[in-house]
Amino acid sequence: MSDLRDLYQEVILEHSKAPRNFHGLAHANHRADGVNPLCGDQFTVYLHMDGDAIRDISFEGSGCAISKASASMMTQILKGKSRAEAEKLFERFHKLVTGEEPAKGGEDLGKLAVFSGVSEYPARVKCATLAWHTLHAALVGEAEAVLPEDE
Ligand code: ZN
């Protein structure tokens, strides 16, 4: 298990050093800002929606390795997905990082399983979910993400 953990850490570090889709989006038609006051992470998520499909997605901002890697991998996975698929993935991901449904969540989430270790560090859960909360805000037309108190 420790080998797997090392691998997971490597993936997270790699994404935080070279985040994917890390730029503004000139043709964005949805955007939202998100701030995690516990850690100081802050991101803007941009979406180019075509009906219910996410044609393009990007993010900008700054944050710790976990928050940046999470945003980076989220943008990779959601490109081409539908609004409903994105919300479903968020639900699964949330269960994974809060430890609510570790094994099952991990299986379905593919690459996002690298964040399973976050459930052991409750203070870092918001780092991992910030980009997703911000995505949700953008999808529903809110300008700012609301992070739940009890996460
Ligand atoms: Zn953080």
Side-chain angles (χ1 to χ4, degrees):
M1 196 62 194
S2 69
D3 285 352
L4 187 61
R5 192 156 293 180
D6 288 349
L7 173 72
Y8 281 1
Q9 271 173 8
E10 230 168 80
V11 173
I12 289 173
L13 279 178
E14 197 272 320
H15 269 271
S16 74
K17 280 182 195 156
R20 316 303 198 272
N21 306 302
F22 188 57
H23 49 73
L25 204 61
H27 53 287
N29 48 16
H30 291 258
R31 59 166 284 177
D33 298 316
V35 176
N36 170 16
L38 290 178
C39 181
D41 314 313
Q42 46 183 21
F43 294 113
T44 301
V45 171
Y46 302 92
L47 293 171
H48 175 66
M49 301 292 294
D50 181 6
D52 259 353
I54 299 172
R55 286 280 172 249
D56 208 354
I57 175 168
S58 69
F59 77 107
E60 282 183 316
S62 60
C64 66
I66 291 174
S67 66
K68 208 173 221 178
S70 177
S72 170
M73 292 180 74
M74 178 188 82
T75 60
Q76 268 196 318
I77 281 165
L78 292 184
K79 212 177 270 191
K81 293 268 194 299
S82 71
R83 177 188 292 262
E85 284 169 330
E87 295 285 15
K88 193 160 198 173
L89 269 172
F90 178 22
E91 202 179 298
R92 287 262 164 75
F93 181 72
H94 194 265
K95 284 182 175 165
L96 177 79
V97 297
T98 54
E100 206 182 308
E101 211 178 304
K104 191 157 180 270
E107 269 169 37
D108 296 344
L109 283 165
K111 279 186 183 176
L112 292 177
V114 299
F115 292 97
S116 60
V118 170
S119 64
E120 288 169 41
Y121 305 93
R124 310 307 299 274
V125 168
K126 284 189 168 65
C127 298
T129 60
L130 176 64
W132 289 87
H133 283 296
T134 310
L135 163 87
H136 174 76
L139 283 172
V140 299
E142 300 282 347
E144 276 177 45
V146 179
L147 274 64
E149 289 288 325
D150 61 345
E151 187 168 76

